[in-house]
């Protein structure tokens, strides 16, 4: 590297502002650059931190004319406990001396047939999958392997679930087509891939169900991963839509589900917390109503000459809580073919009004509980519905590890499940009766680790370091 700073023509100040004076550790920062008034060679940049140390960086989203940058963004990691500080970017009209390549994020060999990328980010090992659409939990798109390297534990046992799927309103019994990660594949596109930053697009089409308002809709999910930091994030964009769920209007709101598996008798997370405490309703009355309807349908399954119903009964067993919640949905899925479209409509015509009455017109609406940390497995149906939050966490009180989420929009209600009987854990952006609550276009930040104070981690994700390029100083 060229360490003689006076040999560069330009010196740009990068101004860093730290909202709320939070302590920042290995925080990814993306700064927009514009050199239309200067002549900056694409291979000339060198970045120094506030201690005058040269630090690794990655250029992304570059617009170059010839060898000269017009616009770009620069990605780098910041340790910062000051309110404000400055980094310095040096540039020239000629290439700088070539430095040794920075190792950073590594691509590993994928393990799944539909594996798209398996990454060692320095902090995580994770595998992104495109899905198989085979109707099983082993075929969902999203992150199907997720391990913090320091812990050395995969949070999704046997690749049988995924982080990042989205569900309602497209995949409710009313629509007749459930679980997009199980019945849809996505096209995976590399937008940026380098040592500090990787960005991928998942593009898919929602299969048509029974709701005409939801037909022909497309979606894009943008995934972003950074080197050696607990942060990763994604953004959900879906074609505009308007429909009803549970008899209540839904306009451009979706259910995102991050699901974890650890096997029967175990849970990845043992409690739930919401920033500053949480109000929630406990118990899933809809699950009871749906479970009752499922078991009534199966009472005479052996008498019916339908191999799909018999196979479904064999899979589900006697206790729905001991298998994945997905089995509820599969019965009402057009593509599964267990029930006909008319049979689905007949059954939901009873389920939806009953569940709506139970949830919205009963005393339960007034029995709102409050606690800072919630033992979800002790709640009825091992389910709670926390209200109105954008910073939440699921905790494992034995290991001290927590998954922390920040959503760029407030979510009116969540569904949190931590079920010891099956080992299934869910973080979902929906309220009772599968009503979606996350506005489309929302960004979700996530971080997993042993955080001394998870709320501070959430604060840093909510209030990123603000960075701006300053004026150029001409050095020669």
């Amino acid at each position: 590297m060229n360490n003689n700073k006076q040999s560069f023509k330009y010196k740009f100040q990068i101004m860093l502002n730290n909202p709320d004076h939070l302590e920042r550790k290995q925080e990814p920062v993306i700064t927009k650059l514009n050199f239309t008034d200067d002549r900056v060679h694409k291979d000339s940049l060198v970045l120094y931190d506030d201690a005058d140390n040269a630090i690794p960086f990655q250029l992304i989203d570059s617009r170059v004319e010839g060898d000269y940058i017009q616009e770009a963004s620069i990605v780098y990691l910041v340790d910062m406990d000051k309110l404000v500080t400055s980094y310095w970017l040096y540039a020239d009209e000629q290439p700088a001396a070539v430095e040794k390549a920075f190792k950073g994020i590594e691509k590993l060999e994928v393990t799944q047939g539909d594996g798209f990328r398996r990454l060692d980010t320095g902090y995580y090992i994770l595998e992104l999958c495109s899905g198989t659409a085979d109707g099983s939990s082993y075929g969902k798109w999203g992150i199907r392997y997720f391990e913090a390297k320091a812990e050395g534990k995969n949070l999704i046992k046997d690749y049988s679930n995924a982080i990042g799927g989205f569900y309602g309103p497209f995949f409710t019994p009313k629509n007749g087509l459930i679980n997009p990660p199980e019945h849809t594949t996505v096209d995976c596109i590399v937008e940026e891939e380098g040592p500090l930053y990787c960005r991928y697009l998942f593009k898919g089409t929602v299969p048509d169900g029974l709701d005409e308002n939801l037909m022909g809709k497309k979606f894009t999910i943008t995934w972003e991963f950074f080197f050696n930091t607990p942060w990763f994030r994604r953004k959900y964009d879906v074609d505009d839509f308007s429909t009803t769920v549970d008899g209540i209007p839904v306009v451009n709101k979706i259910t995102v589900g991050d699901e974890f598996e650890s096997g029967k008798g175990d849970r990845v997370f043992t409690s739930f917390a919401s920033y500053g405490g949480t109000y929630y309703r406990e118990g899933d009355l809809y699950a009871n109503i749906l479970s009752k309807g499922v078991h009534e349908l199966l009472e005479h399954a052996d008498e019916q000459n339908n191999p799909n119903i018999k196979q479904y009964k064999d899979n589900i067993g006697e206790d729905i809580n001991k298998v994945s919640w997905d089995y509820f949905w599969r019965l009402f899925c057009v593509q599964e073919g267990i029930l006909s479209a008319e049979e689905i409509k007949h059954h939901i015509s009873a389920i939806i009004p009953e569940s709506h009455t139970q949830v919205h017109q009963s005393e339960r609406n007034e029995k709102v509980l409050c606690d800072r940390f919630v033992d979800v497995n002790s709640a009825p149906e091992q389910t709670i519905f926390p209200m109105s939050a954008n910073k939440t966490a699921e905790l494992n009180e034995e290991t001290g590890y927590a998954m922390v989420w920040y959503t760029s929009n407030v979510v009116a209600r969540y569904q949190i499940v931590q079920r010891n009987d099956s080992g299934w854990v869910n973080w979902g952006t929906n309220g009772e009766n599968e009503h979606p609550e996350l506005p489309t276009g929302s960004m979700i930040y996530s971080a997993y680790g042993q955080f001394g104070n998870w709320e501070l981690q959430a604060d840093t994700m909510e209030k990123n370091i603000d960075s701006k390029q300053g004026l150029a100083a001409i050095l020669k």
Side-chain angles (χ1 to χ4, degrees):
M1 177 183 291
N2 186 349
N3 289 315
N4 180 6
K5 297 174 185 176
Q6 296 305 314
S7 67
F8 290 94
K9 180 175 181 179
Y10 304 105
K11 178 183 178 182
F12 297 92
Q13 182 184 16
I14 304 295
M15 300 171 287
L16 303 176
N17 297 287
N18 178 8
D20 288 359
H21 207 164
L22 299 169
E23 184 178 1
R24 313 288 179 153
K25 295 181 178 179
Q26 288 291 97
E27 181 166 321
V29 175
I30 301 178
T31 305
K32 292 186 179 296
L33 304 175
N34 186 299
F35 298 131
T36 53
D37 294 333
D38 307 292
R39 190 171 170 81
V40 172
H41 194 281
K42 61 183 178 62
D43 298 321
S44 72
L45 298 176
V46 178
L47 182 64
Y48 287 84
D49 65 15
D50 51 1
D52 206 32
N53 299 307
I55 62 170
F57 64 89
Q58 179 183 334
L59 280 182
I60 63 171
D61 300 326
S62 298
R63 181 171 68 84
V64 178
E65 292 186 4
D67 287 332
Y68 298 97
I69 301 171
Q70 302 301 300
E71 296 175 353
S73 290
I74 186 171
V75 184
Y76 50 102
L77 301 176
V78 171
D79 290 318
M80 182 178 180
D81 58 7
K82 303 174 184 177
L83 189 60
V84 295
T85 194
S86 291
Y87 280 25
W88 301 94
L89 186 64
Y90 290 81
D92 200 78
E93 295 179 339
Q94 303 299 321
V98 178
E99 68 170 331
K100 184 178 180 180
F102 175 67
K103 187 176 180 181
I105 298 173
E106 294 184 80
K107 287 189 290 185
L108 307 177
E109 186 174 346
V110 299
T111 64
Q112 301 301 289
D114 64 326
F116 164 64
R117 280 291 187 276
R118 189 177 182 91
L119 300 177
D120 180 343
T121 72
Y123 189 94
Y124 295 119
I125 293 177
L126 55 88
E127 185 159 340
L128 286 160
C129 297
S130 61
T132 64
D134 67 355
S136 77
S137 60
Y138 300 90
K140 295 183 178 184
W141 52 257
I143 300 176
R144 280 219 312 271
Y145 184 96
F146 185 85
E147 170 196 331
K149 294 177 68 175
E151 184 182 31
K153 174 184 177 182
N154 174 27
L155 302 191
I156 305 171
K157 180 179 172 61
D158 299 329
Y159 296 83
S160 178
N161 233 311
I163 296 171
F166 86 90
Y167 301 82
F170 298 92
F171 305 90
T172 63
K174 181 187 174 188
N175 196 40
L177 233 179
I178 318 305
N179 278 337
E182 295 190 8
H183 298 102
T184 307
T185 60
V186 294
D187 294 326
C188 303
I189 300 164
V190 177
E191 277 210 332
E192 295 285 349
E193 202 166 52
L196 286 173
Y197 174 78
C198 295
R199 186 172 73 226
Y200 307 110
L201 298 185
F202 279 10
K203 291 191 172 184
T205 301
V206 179
D208 290 341
L210 303 178
D211 186 344
E212 293 183 358
N213 297 309
L214 301 177
M215 291 183 175
K217 302 300 183 180
K218 299 183 183 298
F219 63 90
T220 300
I221 303 171
T222 304
W223 294 90
E224 296 177 280
F225 302 98
F226 304 91
F227 174 65
N228 204 29
T229 176
W231 283 22
F232 64 98
R233 64 191 186 190
R234 57 240 147 94
K235 181 173 179 283
Y236 292 80
D237 292 298
V238 185
D239 287 349
D240 288 341
F241 61 85
S242 176
T243 188
T244 62
V245 173
D246 184 30
I248 301 172
V250 177
V251 179
N252 294 338
K253 286 189 174 182
I254 59 173
T255 296
V256 171
D258 287 354
E259 302 182 79
F260 309 90
E261 294 284 357
S262 50
K264 294 181 180 180
D266 191 17
R267 283 168 290 156
V268 170
F269 301 115
T270 61
S271 61
F272 171 84
S274 182
Y275 194 91
T278 180
Y279 291 89
Y280 65 95
R281 298 173 184 169
E282 64 177 0
D284 191 350
L285 300 183
Y286 179 51
N288 289 333
I289 295 166
L290 194 55
S291 177
K292 179 183 175 182
V294 167
H295 284 95
E296 287 177 353
L297 283 167
L298 296 181
E299 279 183 5
H300 305 290
D302 294 335
E303 303 169 11
Q304 302 178 41
N305 187 23
N306 187 326
N308 289 332
I309 291 180
K310 187 177 187 311
Q311 182 63 48
Y312 177 86
K313 184 177 181 179
D314 292 341
N315 289 335
I316 199 173
E318 296 298 323
D319 188 352
I320 190 70
N321 286 331
K322 292 185 178 179
V323 297
S324 172
W325 175 252
D326 293 343
Y327 279 102
F328 274 128
W329 301 138
R330 293 175 71 175
L331 184 64
F332 297 96
C333 176
V334 169
Q335 285 194 356
E336 291 283 344
I338 299 172
L339 300 177
S340 69
E342 290 307 312
E343 287 174 316
I344 292 172
K345 290 177 181 178
H346 172 74
H347 288 293
I348 64 177
S349 68
I351 289 171
I352 290 176
E354 182 181 359
S355 59
H356 183 94
T357 300
Q358 287 286 337
V359 168
H360 302 294
Q361 299 175 28
S362 69
E363 291 184 4
R364 180 174 176 268
N365 219 18
E366 299 176 2
K367 294 179 180 178
V368 180
L369 308 176
C370 179
D371 201 348
R372 186 171 179 81
F373 297 98
V374 182
D375 177 5
V376 179
N377 190 66
S378 295
E381 295 79 52
Q382 298 80 50
T383 304
I384 64 171
F385 293 93
M387 301 179 193
S388 195
N390 65 347
K391 291 182 281 190
T392 57
E394 296 204 52
L395 317 170
N396 187 312
E397 293 175 353
E398 294 181 2
T399 66
Y401 275 84
M403 182 72 82
V404 182
W405 290 268
Y406 161 69
T407 61
S408 60
N409 288 290
V410 170
V411 177
R413 293 178 295 174
Y414 294 85
Q415 181 185 38
I416 306 298
V417 184
Q418 295 174 357
R419 185 164 290 161
N420 201 56
D421 287 345
S422 63
W424 178 58
V425 169
N426 176 68
W427 176 90
T429 63
N430 62 282
E432 295 92 335
N433 303 347
E434 299 302 315
H435 191 278
E437 295 288 10
L438 179 73
T440 56
S442 295
M443 179 82 77
I444 299 176
Y445 287 74
S446 303
Y448 178 72
Q450 291 176 308
F451 306 117
N453 184 331
W454 76 264
E455 292 182 328
L456 289 178
Q457 180 64 229
D459 284 341
T460 63
M461 293 191 292
E462 179 186 30
K463 299 178 180 180
N464 299 173
I465 292 173
D466 176 62
S467 65
K468 292 179 172 59
Q469 171 192 342
L471 292 173
I474 306 301
L475 302 178
K476 64 177 183 180

